[in-house]
């Protein structure tokens, strides 16, 4: 049974929704059933998560309403499957279930499943309800909240997508018990991001609680998740479609997405790519005289403490990476826009950043930050 459940609201008028956080929530069908619209539920998950958690979720869902028609789609695991082909499988499953708009998709898994299932929900009959049940740390603190949904193309990550808010986010922190250590560490990159971009006190708290967090101590982990969700809920409520402030959540992402694509999806985890990307952005800021170099060192030290990489993988061509960065959604009229910072807790948008300065950071040449 769930204990010490916390609820955080994402305030978006008629589309507001709760983020419910607690251990054991998978067995508590109530928050999930409250969010279901219609007669059909399609649970989308993958071959790793299904054996661990599908039966519990399904039973909890079915317990309260035996008229609900529940279908299951189990996809292959991994970023390589966050594709239009997988979205087509979701559409086929909905068609097979004879679902119309009278249906809700439940995404059970990490960010790959959440982004993909959310994208399919945005498209099916021009938009149906969906619920996020994130099971990775990264998905709990970032991807499940805020309604960004997408699939990848060979040309780049998240190039096809939609803003489509979930009806609820249900975070069972107990699911983190089975998360591989490398995936947990990758999730902490996004946790550290919240401190780095806008909350120096949280950054300092992470420095103090790194050991407890890495040991998965429940209280520390739940505190960190709730803090990140609150910060993100506030930003999304103020800037749902990324006209301004929300772009700051992409600290490290322009570098990170390009590094992830250039090194081949799956070799760097998303969170690992973001860790490297944040250090590149911090180093670039220092090299451009916008931020103190000592803050880059503090960021690198914290990421390394969480076992995360902080330099681009060897063997990548910097100009290939820059070419991929130029595809980023934040760019305007062909001009590169990046999230840089003035130091810990102070991210900002920078337009027209000099390409030579970016190349220097990617190759490790130039001033040291
Ligand atoms: P993921 O979904 O691939 O999950 C990581 C691995 O952990 C997978 O192998 C998965 O099957 C496994 N797994 C999931 N839960 C588990 C559990 N409880 N126990 C054991 N194994 C488990 O990766 P991710 O890091 O969760 O998400 C990365 C994706 O999220 C990327 O595609 C990224 O673009 C996206 N993302 C989206 C947003 C957004 O705002 N929409 C934000 C950040 C990241
Ligand atoms: N992950 C960045 C955002 O949701 O805006």
């Amino acid at each position: 049974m769930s204990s010490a459940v916390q609820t955080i609201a994402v305030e978006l008028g008629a589309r507001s929704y709760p983020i419910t956080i607690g251990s054991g929530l998978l067995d508590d069908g109530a928050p999930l059933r409250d969010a279901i619209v219609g007669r059909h539920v399609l649970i989308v998950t993958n071959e790793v998560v299904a054996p661990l958690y599908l039966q519990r979720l399904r039973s909890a869902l079915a317990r309260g309403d035996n008229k609900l028609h529940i279908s299951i789609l189990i996809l292959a695991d991994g970023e390589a499957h966050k594709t239009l082909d997988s979205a087509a499988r979701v559409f086929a499953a909905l068609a097979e279930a004879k679902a119309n708009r009278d249906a809700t998709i439940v995404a059970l898994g990490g960010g790959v499943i959440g982004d993909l299932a959310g994208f399919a929900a945005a498209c099916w009959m021009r938009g149906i309800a969906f619920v996020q049940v994130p099971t990775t740390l990264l998905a709990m603190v970032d991807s499940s909240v805020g309604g960004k949904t997408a699939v990848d193309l060979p040309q780049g990550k998240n190039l096809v997508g939609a803003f489509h808010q979930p009806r609820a986010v249900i975070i069972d922190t107990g699911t983190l018990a089975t998360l591989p250590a490398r995936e947990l560490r990758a999730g902490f990159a996004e946790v550290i991001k919240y401190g780095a971009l806008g909350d120096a006190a949280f950054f300092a708290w992470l420095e103090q609680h790194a050991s407890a967090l890495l040991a998965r101590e429940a209280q520390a982990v739940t505190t960190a998740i709730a803090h990140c969700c609150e910060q993100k809920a506030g930003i999304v409520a103020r800037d749902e479609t990324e006209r301004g402030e929300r772009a700051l959540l992409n600290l490290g992402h322009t570098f990170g997405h390009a590094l992830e694509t250039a090194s081949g999806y799956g070799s760097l985890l998303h969170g690992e790519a973001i860790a490297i990307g944040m250090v590149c952005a911090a180093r670039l800021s220092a090299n451009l005289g916008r931020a103190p170099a000592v803050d880059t060192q503090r960021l690198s030290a914290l990421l390394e403490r969480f076992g995360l990489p902080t330099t681009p993988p060897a063997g990548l061509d910097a100009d290939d990476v820059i070419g991929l960065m130029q595809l980023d959604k934040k760019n305007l009229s062909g001009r590169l826009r990046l999230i840089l910072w003035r130091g810990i807790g102070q991210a900002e948008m920078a337009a027209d950043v000099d390409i030579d300065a970016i190349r220097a950071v990617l190759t490790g040449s130039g001033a040291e930050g």
Side-chain angles (χ1 to χ4, degrees):
M1 267 294 106
S2 49
S3 59
V5 173
Q6 298 184 53
T7 305
I8 294 163
V10 182
E11 304 283 1
L12 289 167
R15 292 172 299 110
S16 298
Y17 56 92
I19 304 167
T20 312
I21 307 169
S23 178
L25 285 178
L26 276 185
D27 304 309
D28 177 359
L32 187 51
R33 284 193 301 272
D34 284 351
I36 298 300
V37 175
R39 294 169 302 125
H40 292 278
V41 173
L42 174 64
I43 303 175
V44 179
T45 186
N46 74 24
E47 63 200 5
V48 172
V49 177
L52 295 169
Y53 300 115
L54 178 60
Q55 203 42 51
R56 280 170 63 192
L57 183 81
R58 190 177 202 275
S59 306
L61 188 57
R63 208 173 298 134
D65 182 355
N66 55 18
K67 292 206 189 76
L68 210 53
H69 182 264
I70 302 172
S71 325
I72 311 283
L73 177 62
I74 300 175
L75 295 167
D77 182 37
E79 184 75 34
H81 300 281
K82 197 174 120 178
T83 57
L84 288 167
D85 280 353
S86 296
R89 291 195 54 198
V90 180
F91 302 142
L94 288 163
E96 175 90 0
K98 300 190 171 28
N100 49 28
R101 280 194 172 143
D102 196 11
T104 302
I105 293 180
V106 176
L108 173 68
V112 167
I113 287 294
D115 278 15
L116 168 77
F119 172 70
C123 297
W124 180 255
M125 301 203 175
R126 302 199 180 91
I128 57 169
F130 87 112
V131 178
Q132 291 272 20
V133 185
T135 60
T136 64
L137 178 60
L138 183 143
M140 292 175 186
V141 299
D142 192 359
S143 62
S144 66
V145 176
K148 276 191 184 175
T149 72
V151 294
D152 302 331
L153 295 183
Q155 291 86 346
K157 267 184 66 75
N158 296 334
L159 291 185
V160 183
F163 284 100
H164 187 57
Q165 298 293 341
R167 293 251 314 157
V169 180
I170 298 166
I171 298 177
D172 184 342
T173 52
T175 60
L176 293 178
T178 54
L179 194 65
R182 184 177 170 200
E183 296 291 351
L184 186 80
R185 292 195 296 268
F188 279 119
E190 299 279 9
V191 173
I192 292 168
K193 180 189 79 175
Y194 286 97
L197 76 91
D199 190 340
F202 182 54
F203 192 94
W205 184 89
L206 292 170
E207 289 176 321
Q208 284 153 17
H209 292 83
S211 306
L213 291 165
L214 282 164
R216 308 185 198 216
E217 284 180 19
Q219 195 177 342
V221 172
T222 305
T223 301
I225 292 170
H227 189 95
C228 296
C229 287
E230 258 172 42
Q231 196 174 330
K232 182 152 186 185
I235 292 172
V236 169
R238 291 188 292 275
D239 179 21
E240 183 183 3
T241 54
E242 203 170 300
R243 304 294 160 107
E245 182 185 2
R246 185 165 181 175
L248 302 183
L249 288 169
N250 293 314
L251 178 65
H253 282 58
T254 309
F255 282 105
H257 282 168
L259 290 167
E260 207 178 340
T261 306
S263 51
Y265 295 140
S267 78
L268 269 182
L269 297 182
H270 177 74
E272 292 169 344
I274 297 315
I276 302 168
M278 285 194 289
V279 175
C280 289
R283 193 161 280 149
L284 179 58
S285 307
N287 290 352
L288 294 173
R290 303 170 83 110
V294 69
D295 283 18
T296 311
Q297 285 146 19
R298 227 176 120 194
L299 176 63
S300 289
L302 185 58
L303 292 165
E304 281 164 14
R305 186 124 179 250
F306 278 91
L308 289 158
T310 53
T311 51
L316 291 185
D317 183 290
D319 286 307
D320 288 349
V321 177
I322 291 169
L324 289 161
M325 290 172 75
Q326 283 163 332
L327 258 185
D328 189 82
K329 292 184 279 303
K330 284 184 297 307
N331 298 334
L332 262 190
S333 314
R335 294 178 162 184
L336 203 56
R337 297 202 305 167
L338 288 177
I339 308 304
L340 298 183
W341 74 356
R342 295 213 165 267
I344 289 163
Q346 301 173 70
E348 61 183 5
M349 171 80 82
D352 248 345
V353 181
D354 179 50
I355 299 288
D356 288 338
I358 295 174
R359 189 178 297 107
V361 161
L362 286 168
T363 56
S365 61
E368 202 27 58

